[in-house]
Amino acid sequence: MRSVRVDRPAPYPPRISAATRPFWDALGDERLTTTRCLDCGDTTFPPKPICPNCFSTQLSWQSLSGRGTLYSYSRVWAGPEVFGEELPYTVCVVDLDDGLRLGSRLLDGVEPEMGKRVTLVFVHYTDATLFFFESEAAMKNES
Amino acid sequence: MRERVAVIGIGATPVGRYKDLLDHELLLEAFAQAFKDAGVRKEDIGGLVFSHPRTYTKQRYFATFMAGYLRMQSSATVLEVVGDGMTGGFAFDKAVDEILLGKCNVCVALGVSMETQVPSAEHMNLTMRAVGDVDFQAPFGFTPISWYAMDAVRYMHEHGATREQLASVAVKNRRHASLNPIAQYKDELTLEEVLNARPIVEPLGLLEVPPRSDGAVAVVLSDLETAEKLDRPYAVVRGRGFFHEGAHQISDKPNSMIRLEAAREASRLAYEDAGISAKDIDLAELYAPCTIVEVLASEALGLCPEGQGALWAKQGETALGGSIPLSTSGGLLSRGHPPLVTPLYNVVEVVQQLRGEAGERQVGGAEFALTSAELGNYNAALVHVFGKAG
Ligand SMILES: [Zn+2]
């Protein structure tokens, strides 16, 4: 999986709490993780201090593959003021091979295609790391 | 407990941009209209349920301020309700509750939504924190309508719907708005104009997403006995349904983002409550901020066949004169969209239709009408079925 460095702070960085610090620390180390319930085995995204399936608070951290398929996307031309410098950009919904869905951003480059394979890209801003995706077709073009 | 509630009075300001009126002054216009329309005495009014105003409305404790402004005593309720895009719908629903519970005979649901003092990009700094997880989604730059845009991409992918079909919803709604005196935008549009509008959230352009709008509405409700005594035309709330799917924007367990499960379940409950089926509905005012949302909701509510909502729009089935007229007011795209009171504007339209007072927009012989309200990506839906009096 690729990583990209961006020489400015994230437009709207996440808050980091005691409960979510393991996630953001792992992401900074280029691993995507989430919580898994020790009682029922259910996984959830984003990670949470409670299992939304059985309300157990006995949880462990688990690594995710970072690979999946593109469920949908949209190119945003009018965005919040704080994202002004990044416009236009493409938001997306990705279904991970691990059976979890998440919202993210598609790296620019290749025209997105519905249902096609996508892979995580770690985007290191100066103050936070975020999880973007790019199409696997785009990676082949580069190599 | 009482079984049914009547809508006996409606008042709504034209939707638009108001610069010279304060928020509560705009609301008073709507309130005075509704009071006069209902024909009740001041002392008949038992409760006031307000939609909570935007954070831009400087007057806080808005409900109690208004009770003072109107010198209104109440032993039922004076409060503000909050529910994002459903706010106005919840205000209406809570007023229904007050009457069903016998806490009062007449209750007013009302509110004002002032949006245009703040530029759109600045406003989105606020709304992006509503439509997604602040820490795990907002950092990517989702906007409220970017989720609907992704619905559009998915819908076209799954059902082979075309851009022209989706865009035809905007053309149709503008034609309806041209017949509505309170609509914000009344000049008719061509399909080409909609398709060539500058992109906002692809594939949706400027004319397929909601405008910025201010507006105020008041709706007077009563028990049926009071309504009968007034000897004026009124509408009856025949059924209600609510459902939250337990997801915010997207479910972390992959499912269909475009089936709008909440709208399916809420409408099933509302039809059951009313003792009718979707086929009995003569017109519907949908909470549909974008063209695609009207299409998806029309299918989820059982008003159009699965996967054919966009085709039906293009074929004119959802226009005035078609088999199921949708958004006869012009809808959110053209009547305008002051979000916190949009569901109350929808009530105003169906009541006008059921009283036979919709002028050139009148759906002939309308017996049953439906309104929907939603929040997020239709993660929750609130559906009301209305019928004619008697
Ligand atoms: Zn569990």
Side-chain angles (χ1 to χ4, degrees):
Chain A
M1 262 160 259
R2 286 209 303 141
S3 67
V4 173
R5 294 204 173 269
V6 182
D7 194 22
R8 62 172 186 272
Y12 191 77
R15 297 166 301 176
I16 295 174
S17 67
T20 60
R21 183 172 299 283
F23 172 86
W24 297 109
D25 283 352
L27 198 68
D29 295 339
E30 306 198 344
R31 282 182 300 115
L32 183 70
T33 60
T34 196
T35 45
R36 180 175 181 277
C37 178
L38 290 170
D39 286 320
C40 76
D42 196 53
T43 52
T44 183
F45 194 89
K48 303 175 179 75
I50 190 168
C51 168
N53 189 51
C54 74
F55 294 169
S56 166
T57 52
Q58 302 298 308
L59 303 148
S60 63
W61 287 93
Q62 175 181 310
S63 288
L64 297 171
S65 69
R67 300 188 66 218
T69 56
L70 183 62
Y71 182 78
S72 199
Y73 65 94
S74 170
R75 191 143 180 89
V76 176
W77 291 83
E81 201 175 30
V82 293
F83 284 91
E85 269 189 49
E86 296 199 341
L87 286 169
Y89 51 82
T90 304
V91 294
C92 64
V93 171
V94 170
D95 287 342
L96 295 177
D97 294 344
D98 312 85
L100 290 170
R101 172 173 291 176
L102 46 75
S104 178
R105 183 86 77 78
L106 273 184
L107 277 191
D108 289 341
V110 169
E111 186 66 16
E113 271 191 80
M114 293 292 284
K116 289 292 159 64
R117 301 290 301 165
V118 290
T119 296
L120 185 68
V121 180
F122 299 96
V123 177
H124 300 288
Y125 287 91
T126 53
D127 57 345
T129 300
L130 295 179
F131 45 99
F132 283 31
F133 283 80
E134 68 179 339
S135 88
E136 293 189 1
M139 297 158 63
K140 280 177 200 128
N141 285 355
E142 272 179 20
S143 59
Chain B
M1 199 167 93
R2 289 162 169 167
E3 286 196 347
R4 294 280 178 245
V5 167
V7 182
I8 57 172
I10 50 176
T13 68
V15 181
R17 290 170 179 259
Y18 290 95
K19 289 198 164 51
D20 301 327
L21 280 175
L22 299 176
D23 311 40
H24 61 277
E25 294 168 348
L26 188 64
L27 178 56
L28 288 169
E29 274 190 32
F31 177 79
Q33 266 183 43
F35 177 69
K36 192 172 169 212
D37 185 44
V40 293
R41 296 166 305 169
K42 179 184 176 186
E43 51 272 31
D44 295 329
I45 300 174
L48 300 173
V49 184
F50 293 85
S51 60
H52 184 59
R54 278 283 189 221
T55 173
Y56 314 126
T57 292
K58 288 215 164 43
Q59 181 65 56
R60 308 314 288 173
Y61 278 14
F62 193 76
T64 197
F65 166 77
M66 289 302 296
Y69 204 93
L70 294 166
R71 216 179 289 145
M72 262 285 305
Q73 297 182 331
S74 168
S75 61
T77 196
V78 173
L79 86 171
E80 294 160 50
V81 298
V82 185
D84 313 307
M86 282 188 169
T87 296
F90 278 136
F92 180 80
D93 207 57
K94 173 68 175 162
V96 171
D97 286 342
E98 297 300 300
I99 293 164
L100 289 181
L101 290 169
K103 290 175 75 177
C104 56
N105 294 334
V106 177
C107 191
V108 187
L110 70 172
V112 57
S113 192
M114 294 294 251
E115 308 293 316
T116 66
Q117 308 101 315
V118 177
S120 165
E122 185 185 334
H123 180 59
M124 277 191 272
N125 285 345
L126 178 77
T127 55
M128 73 175 194
R129 289 162 40 208
V131 293
D133 184 310
V134 164
D135 304 301
F136 289 87
Q137 291 170 336
F140 299 106
F142 290 97
T143 66
I145 55 176
S146 68
W147 297 99
Y148 301 132
M150 290 191 288
D151 290 339
V153 172
R154 190 70 203 177
Y155 183 82
M156 292 192 291
H157 175 70
E158 284 189 23
H159 296 296
T162 64
R163 285 288 299 115
E164 287 74 16
Q165 289 171 357
L166 288 182
S168 70
V169 173
V171 176
K172 180 264 298 179
N173 284 353
R174 182 61 66 88
R175 191 175 316 127
H176 291 174
S178 74
L179 307 173
N180 187 355
I182 65 167
Q184 186 172 10
Y185 296 100
K186 300 193 187 79
D187 295 338
E188 292 215 32
L189 288 172
T190 65
L191 195 58
E192 288 64 37
E193 285 174 299
V194 178
L195 290 169
N196 295 331
R198 73 180 165 89
I200 301 294
V201 281
E202 286 186 61
L204 306 177
L206 184 66
L207 299 171
E208 291 186 80
V209 303
R212 312 286 314 291
S213 320
D214 304 323
V217 188
V219 174
V220 185
L221 301 94
S222 78
D223 63 303
L224 293 184
E225 199 180 322
T226 301
E228 275 300 317
K229 277 190 203 147
L230 289 166
D231 199 27
R232 292 175 178 219
Y234 64 93
V236 178
V237 184
R238 295 274 170 197
R240 307 192 276 172
F242 170 81
F243 194 75
H244 198 300
E245 65 174 342
H248 187 44
Q249 304 301 139
I250 48 173
S251 165
D252 66 345
K253 300 292 184 187
N255 63 356
S256 170
M257 194 163 92
I258 58 173
R259 271 181 57 80
L260 310 190
E261 288 297 343
R264 284 167 200 268
E265 185 58 14
S267 60
R268 190 187 67 73
L269 293 167
Y271 295 143
E272 191 178 282
D273 190 19
I276 65 166
S277 73
K279 284 191 290 295
D280 299 311
I281 298 293
D282 297 302
L283 70 133
E285 279 294 294
L286 307 179
Y287 193 105
C290 300
T291 49
I292 179 63
V293 186
E294 182 172 304
V295 168
L296 298 181
S298 70
E299 294 177 16
L301 297 165
L303 304 173
C304 291
E306 295 289 345
Q308 292 181 42
L311 180 65
W312 269 39
K314 184 75 169 65
Q315 292 176 337
E317 298 288 351
T318 60
L320 280 167
S323 54
I324 176 70
L326 301 179
S327 305
T328 53
S329 68
L332 284 59
L333 294 172
S334 286
R335 181 194 55 210
H337 184 37
L340 301 178
V341 295
T342 281
L344 289 170
Y345 273 103
N346 287 348
V347 170
V348 166
E349 176 68 13
V350 301
V351 170
Q352 285 187 329
Q353 289 281 356
L354 291 170
R355 298 198 316 200
E357 296 168 358
E360 291 181 89
R361 311 189 308 289
Q362 185 63 46
V363 174
E367 296 274 335
F368 289 104
L370 173 148
T371 60
S372 72
E374 63 119 4
L375 54 83
N377 195 6
Y378 253 98
N379 304 112
L382 179 62
V383 173
H384 290 100
V385 171
F386 297 79
K388 285 177 80 129

